[in-house]
Amino acid sequence: MKLNELLKIKYPIIQGGMANIATGEFAASVSNAGGLGLIGAGGMNAKMLKEEIQKCKKLTDHPFGVNIMLLNPEAKEMAQIVIDEQVPIVTTGAGNPGIYMKMWKEAGIKVFPVVPSVALAKRLERAGADALIVEGCEAGGHIGEATTMALVPQVVENVSIPVIAAGGIASGKQLLAAFALGACGVQIGTVLLASQECPIHENYKQAVLKAKDTSTTVTGRINGTPVRILKNKMAKTYIQKEKEGATMMELEKYTLGSLKKAVFEGNVDEGSLMAGQVAGMVHEIKPVQQILQEMMDELKVAYQNLEI
């Protein structure tokens, strides 16, 4: 079963739950365009999340979801809010959602954890996950070590629930490749940064458009907290500090508020411009509807042109 059939949406595409970016309004615009919009609770408190969910409900009649970063200090309250607000789908990151699984399932919520490894995928299938978002290290933001091309088929082989591919997907050809690897759909993020509806600062959007294939780097690799961002002054200094043996506390202090600097202030030197390696494929700002439709059109053409 394809993801769109599973979720009763038009396209087999989920929007990533990007912290400080994926507002209720943005999620609604993706859902209205035929994908599954997600509200990113990372960077929010419980009260803000409730407000964004209610805003989203007013703007769309289509299914939408919430992404909960389990390291959020208010994750427990958020876990209850999605039940109270009857959110149909929850995706999770940064931890194991096992402790909330029973209450979510009893409320009829579909749970799609984001996983970077086969071991965690198997554990979460046993815990009751409905599907898994399997994310390769090409993705923007927090990442694991394995690539999408290598990781997705290995997870597919080891679980019996649906797998959604994420990381390094911005075109119909890549969507077709995800299906070939055994995924039922995809999650996209970087390509949506360049949508008209995306609420990030114009400077951030322009930085994504200017990106080439080698324009991203990974901070936090030495300390075990890898994050993929666009190369800039902040990234260069951070990596230098890491190599010189800076502590986690010193590094956190250095990057405090850096994502907000990028998203809200458009500070492309000191901001954390989270973006995946596919940023080099994104050349134009378009409406979300056009981005999704072009992916589906290209998928069909690519499939017809396959010579095997």
PDB file of all heavy atoms in Angstrom, residues 5 14 20 31 102 143 149 193 201 219 223 232 236-237 241 261 269 277 286 295:
ATOM      1  N   GLU A   5      -2.433   6.172   0.085  1.00  0.00           N
ATOM      2  CA  GLU A   5      -3.596   5.312   0.374  1.00  0.00           C
ATOM      3  C   GLU A   5      -3.711   5.084   1.880  1.00  0.00           C
ATOM      4  O   GLU A   5      -4.803   5.116   2.447  1.00  0.00           O
ATOM      5  CB  GLU A   5      -3.459   3.973  -0.360  1.00  0.00           C
ATOM      6  CG  GLU A   5      -3.521   4.095  -1.872  1.00  0.00           C
ATOM      7  CD  GLU A   5      -2.934   2.886  -2.589  1.00  0.00           C
ATOM      8  OE1 GLU A   5      -2.583   1.897  -1.926  1.00  0.00           O
ATOM      9  OE2 GLU A   5      -2.825   2.939  -3.826  1.00  0.00           O
ATOM     10  N   ILE A  14       5.315  13.237   2.695  1.00  0.00           N
ATOM     11  CA  ILE A  14       5.189  13.900   3.993  1.00  0.00           C
ATOM     12  C   ILE A  14       6.173  15.064   4.024  1.00  0.00           C
ATOM     13  O   ILE A  14       7.293  14.958   3.523  1.00  0.00           O
ATOM     14  CB  ILE A  14       5.542  12.933   5.153  1.00  0.00           C
ATOM     15  CG1 ILE A  14       4.563  11.769   5.214  1.00  0.00           C
ATOM     16  CG2 ILE A  14       5.559  13.655   6.501  1.00  0.00           C
ATOM     17  CD1 ILE A  14       4.884  10.765   6.321  1.00  0.00           C
ATOM     18  N   ASN A  20      11.023  25.258  14.370  1.00  0.00           N
ATOM     19  CA  ASN A  20      10.965  26.708  14.151  1.00  0.00           C
ATOM     20  C   ASN A  20      10.517  27.107  12.745  1.00  0.00           C
ATOM     21  O   ASN A  20      10.459  28.283  12.422  1.00  0.00           O
ATOM     22  CB  ASN A  20      12.322  27.375  14.449  1.00  0.00           C
ATOM     23  CG  ASN A  20      12.654  27.338  15.922  1.00  0.00           C
ATOM     24  OD1 ASN A  20      11.887  27.799  16.755  1.00  0.00           O
ATOM     25  ND2 ASN A  20      13.796  26.760  16.253  1.00  0.00           N
ATOM     26  N   SER A  31      -0.720  20.203   3.440  1.00  0.00           N
ATOM     27  CA  SER A  31      -1.876  19.295   3.411  1.00  0.00           C
ATOM     28  C   SER A  31      -2.869  19.701   2.332  1.00  0.00           C
ATOM     29  O   SER A  31      -3.398  18.855   1.612  1.00  0.00           O
ATOM     30  CB  SER A  31      -2.562  19.258   4.785  1.00  0.00           C
ATOM     31  OG  SER A  31      -1.735  18.599   5.733  1.00  0.00           O
ATOM     32  N   LYS A 102       1.310   3.428  23.790  1.00  0.00           N
ATOM     33  CA  LYS A 102       0.026   2.831  24.192  1.00  0.00           C
ATOM     34  C   LYS A 102      -1.090   3.891  24.189  1.00  0.00           C
ATOM     35  O   LYS A 102      -2.164   3.680  23.627  1.00  0.00           O
ATOM     36  CB  LYS A 102       0.165   2.193  25.580  1.00  0.00           C
ATOM     37  CG  LYS A 102      -1.044   1.373  26.007  1.00  0.00           C
ATOM     38  CD  LYS A 102      -0.727   0.583  27.292  1.00  0.00           C
ATOM     39  CE  LYS A 102      -1.897  -0.278  27.720  1.00  0.00           C
ATOM     40  NZ  LYS A 102      -2.981   0.481  28.344  1.00  0.00           N
ATOM     41  N   ILE A 143      21.084  14.094  12.086  1.00  0.00           N
ATOM     42  CA  ILE A 143      21.218  12.934  11.195  1.00  0.00           C
ATOM     43  C   ILE A 143      21.933  11.771  11.877  1.00  0.00           C
ATOM     44  O   ILE A 143      22.585  11.941  12.910  1.00  0.00           O
ATOM     45  CB  ILE A 143      22.003  13.307   9.907  1.00  0.00           C
ATOM     46  CG1 ILE A 143      23.357  13.965  10.277  1.00  0.00           C
ATOM     47  CG2 ILE A 143      21.177  14.193   8.996  1.00  0.00           C
ATOM     48  CD1 ILE A 143      24.323  14.126   9.132  1.00  0.00           C
ATOM     49  N   MET A 149      20.220   5.492   0.522  1.00  0.00           N
ATOM     50  CA  MET A 149      20.330   4.379  -0.427  1.00  0.00           C
ATOM     51  C   MET A 149      20.709   3.071   0.262  1.00  0.00           C
ATOM     52  O   MET A 149      20.218   1.998  -0.097  1.00  0.00           O
ATOM     53  CB  MET A 149      21.378   4.730  -1.506  1.00  0.00           C
ATOM     54  CG  MET A 149      21.581   3.677  -2.566  1.00  0.00           C
ATOM     55  SD  MET A 149      20.193   3.533  -3.710  1.00  0.00           S
ATOM     56  CE  MET A 149      20.677   4.672  -4.989  1.00  0.00           C
ATOM     57  N   LEU A 193      11.867  24.244   1.716  1.00  0.00           N
ATOM     58  CA  LEU A 193      12.396  25.518   2.224  1.00  0.00           C
ATOM     59  C   LEU A 193      12.255  26.600   1.165  1.00  0.00           C
ATOM     60  O   LEU A 193      12.099  27.779   1.476  1.00  0.00           O
ATOM     61  CB  LEU A 193      13.872  25.374   2.623  1.00  0.00           C
ATOM     62  CG  LEU A 193      14.200  24.488   3.819  1.00  0.00           C
ATOM     63  CD1 LEU A 193      15.714  24.341   3.969  1.00  0.00           C
ATOM     64  CD2 LEU A 193      13.586  25.034   5.099  1.00  0.00           C
ATOM     65  N   HIS A 201      13.066  33.235   6.677  1.00  0.00           N
ATOM     66  CA  HIS A 201      13.516  34.531   6.149  1.00  0.00           C
ATOM     67  C   HIS A 201      13.969  34.385   4.696  1.00  0.00           C
ATOM     68  O   HIS A 201      14.521  33.353   4.297  1.00  0.00           O
ATOM     69  CB  HIS A 201      14.680  35.041   7.003  1.00  0.00           C
ATOM     70  CG  HIS A 201      14.985  36.484   6.823  1.00  0.00           C
ATOM     71  ND1 HIS A 201      15.678  36.969   5.733  1.00  0.00           N
ATOM     72  CD2 HIS A 201      14.689  37.568   7.600  1.00  0.00           C
ATOM     73  CE1 HIS A 201      15.812  38.277   5.847  1.00  0.00           C
ATOM     74  NE2 HIS A 201      15.214  38.676   6.965  1.00  0.00           N
ATOM     75  N   THR A 219      28.095  19.577  11.483  1.00  0.00           N
ATOM     76  CA  THR A 219      28.666  19.979  12.768  1.00  0.00           C
ATOM     77  C   THR A 219      28.308  18.912  13.806  1.00  0.00           C
ATOM     78  O   THR A 219      27.352  18.162  13.623  1.00  0.00           O
ATOM     79  CB  THR A 219      28.094  21.335  13.227  1.00  0.00           C
ATOM     80  OG1 THR A 219      26.661  21.208  13.380  1.00  0.00           O
ATOM     81  CG2 THR A 219      28.401  22.447  12.247  1.00  0.00           C
ATOM     82  N   ASN A 223      31.417  15.141  18.637  1.00  0.00           N
ATOM     83  CA  ASN A 223      30.723  14.978  19.918  1.00  0.00           C
ATOM     84  C   ASN A 223      29.515  14.053  19.859  1.00  0.00           C
ATOM     85  O   ASN A 223      28.793  13.901  20.845  1.00  0.00           O
ATOM     86  CB  ASN A 223      30.287  16.347  20.450  1.00  0.00           C
ATOM     87  CG  ASN A 223      31.464  17.143  20.963  1.00  0.00           C
ATOM     88  OD1 ASN A 223      32.131  16.735  21.902  1.00  0.00           O
ATOM     89  ND2 ASN A 223      31.742  18.272  20.330  1.00  0.00           N
ATOM     90  N   ASN A 232      28.825  28.008   6.473  1.00  0.00           N
ATOM     91  CA  ASN A 232      28.903  29.459   6.695  1.00  0.00           C
ATOM     92  C   ASN A 232      29.920  29.728   7.800  1.00  0.00           C
ATOM     93  O   ASN A 232      30.595  28.798   8.278  1.00  0.00           O
ATOM     94  CB  ASN A 232      27.518  30.070   7.009  1.00  0.00           C
ATOM     95  CG  ASN A 232      26.925  29.559   8.315  1.00  0.00           C
ATOM     96  OD1 ASN A 232      27.501  28.716   8.991  1.00  0.00           O
ATOM     97  ND2 ASN A 232      25.754  30.073   8.668  1.00  0.00           N
ATOM     98  N   LYS A 236      31.929  26.890  10.229  1.00  0.00           N
ATOM     99  CA  LYS A 236      33.393  26.803  10.191  1.00  0.00           C
ATOM    100  C   LYS A 236      33.983  26.958  11.599  1.00  0.00           C
ATOM    101  O   LYS A 236      34.849  26.180  12.024  1.00  0.00           O
ATOM    102  CB  LYS A 236      33.938  27.901   9.267  1.00  0.00           C
ATOM    103  CG  LYS A 236      35.398  27.749   8.917  1.00  0.00           C
ATOM    104  CD  LYS A 236      35.821  28.838   7.926  1.00  0.00           C
ATOM    105  CE  LYS A 236      37.306  28.750   7.639  1.00  0.00           C
ATOM    106  NZ  LYS A 236      37.757  29.846   6.759  1.00  0.00           N
ATOM    107  N   THR A 237      33.487  27.941  12.342  1.00  0.00           N
ATOM    108  CA  THR A 237      33.981  28.188  13.705  1.00  0.00           C
ATOM    109  C   THR A 237      33.625  27.027  14.623  1.00  0.00           C
ATOM    110  O   THR A 237      34.429  26.594  15.445  1.00  0.00           O
ATOM    111  CB  THR A 237      33.395  29.508  14.260  1.00  0.00           C
ATOM    112  OG1 THR A 237      33.689  30.552  13.333  1.00  0.00           O
ATOM    113  CG2 THR A 237      33.962  29.853  15.617  1.00  0.00           C
ATOM    114  N   LYS A 241      36.228  24.739  16.689  1.00  0.00           N
ATOM    115  CA  LYS A 241      36.149  24.601  18.150  1.00  0.00           C
ATOM    116  C   LYS A 241      36.083  23.121  18.549  1.00  0.00           C
ATOM    117  O   LYS A 241      36.710  22.700  19.523  1.00  0.00           O
ATOM    118  CB  LYS A 241      34.904  25.325  18.687  1.00  0.00           C
ATOM    119  CG  LYS A 241      35.028  26.848  18.756  1.00  0.00           C
ATOM    120  CD  LYS A 241      33.703  27.465  19.221  1.00  0.00           C
ATOM    121  CE  LYS A 241      33.754  28.974  19.253  1.00  0.00           C
ATOM    122  NZ  LYS A 241      34.490  29.524  20.399  1.00  0.00           N
ATOM    123  N   LYS A 261      18.153  32.548  14.611  1.00  0.00           N
ATOM    124  CA  LYS A 261      18.851  33.623  13.875  1.00  0.00           C
ATOM    125  C   LYS A 261      18.676  33.441  12.366  1.00  0.00           C
ATOM    126  O   LYS A 261      18.502  34.399  11.628  1.00  0.00           O
ATOM    127  CB  LYS A 261      20.356  33.596  14.197  1.00  0.00           C
ATOM    128  CG  LYS A 261      20.740  34.324  15.470  1.00  0.00           C
ATOM    129  CD  LYS A 261      22.253  34.282  15.646  1.00  0.00           C
ATOM    130  CE  LYS A 261      22.648  34.726  17.051  1.00  0.00           C
ATOM    131  NZ  LYS A 261      24.063  34.431  17.326  1.00  0.00           N
ATOM    132  N   ASP A 269      25.274  34.338   8.238  1.00  0.00           N
ATOM    133  CA  ASP A 269      26.652  34.124   8.702  1.00  0.00           C
ATOM    134  C   ASP A 269      26.685  33.365  10.024  1.00  0.00           C
ATOM    135  O   ASP A 269      27.437  32.421  10.191  1.00  0.00           O
ATOM    136  CB  ASP A 269      27.380  35.464   8.869  1.00  0.00           C
ATOM    137  CG  ASP A 269      27.600  36.158   7.546  1.00  0.00           C
ATOM    138  OD1 ASP A 269      27.881  35.434   6.566  1.00  0.00           O
ATOM    139  OD2 ASP A 269      27.469  37.386   7.484  1.00  0.00           O
ATOM    140  N   GLN A 277      21.671  17.684   1.502  1.00  0.00           N
ATOM    141  CA  GLN A 277      22.569  17.729   0.346  1.00  0.00           C
ATOM    142  C   GLN A 277      21.839  18.028  -0.959  1.00  0.00           C
ATOM    143  O   GLN A 277      22.465  18.465  -1.921  1.00  0.00           O
ATOM    144  CB  GLN A 277      23.336  16.411   0.245  1.00  0.00           C
ATOM    145  CG  GLN A 277      24.364  16.247   1.354  1.00  0.00           C
ATOM    146  CD  GLN A 277      25.151  14.956   1.220  1.00  0.00           C
ATOM    147  OE1 GLN A 277      24.614  13.908   0.862  1.00  0.00           O
ATOM    148  NE2 GLN A 277      26.434  15.004   1.527  1.00  0.00           N
ATOM    149  N   LYS A 286       8.934  28.239  -5.480  1.00  0.00           N
ATOM    150  CA  LYS A 286       7.660  27.875  -6.124  1.00  0.00           C
ATOM    151  C   LYS A 286       6.592  27.640  -5.057  1.00  0.00           C
ATOM    152  O   LYS A 286       6.924  27.367  -3.897  1.00  0.00           O
ATOM    153  CB  LYS A 286       7.831  26.562  -6.912  1.00  0.00           C
ATOM    154  CG  LYS A 286       8.905  26.575  -7.973  1.00  0.00           C
ATOM    155  CD  LYS A 286       9.090  25.168  -8.533  1.00  0.00           C
ATOM    156  CE  LYS A 286      10.235  25.104  -9.526  1.00  0.00           C
ATOM    157  NZ  LYS A 286      10.514  23.739  -9.977  1.00  0.00           N
ATOM    158  N   MET A 295       7.026  16.873  -8.757  1.00  0.00           N
ATOM    159  CA  MET A 295       7.649  15.613  -8.324  1.00  0.00           C
ATOM    160  C   MET A 295       6.880  14.416  -8.873  1.00  0.00           C
ATOM    161  O   MET A 295       7.473  13.456  -9.384  1.00  0.00           O
ATOM    162  CB  MET A 295       7.698  15.531  -6.789  1.00  0.00           C
ATOM    163  CG  MET A 295       8.841  16.294  -6.166  1.00  0.00           C
ATOM    164  SD  MET A 295       8.927  16.091  -4.362  1.00  0.00           S
ATOM    165  CE  MET A 295       9.597  14.430  -4.248  1.00  0.00           C
TER     166      MET A 295
END
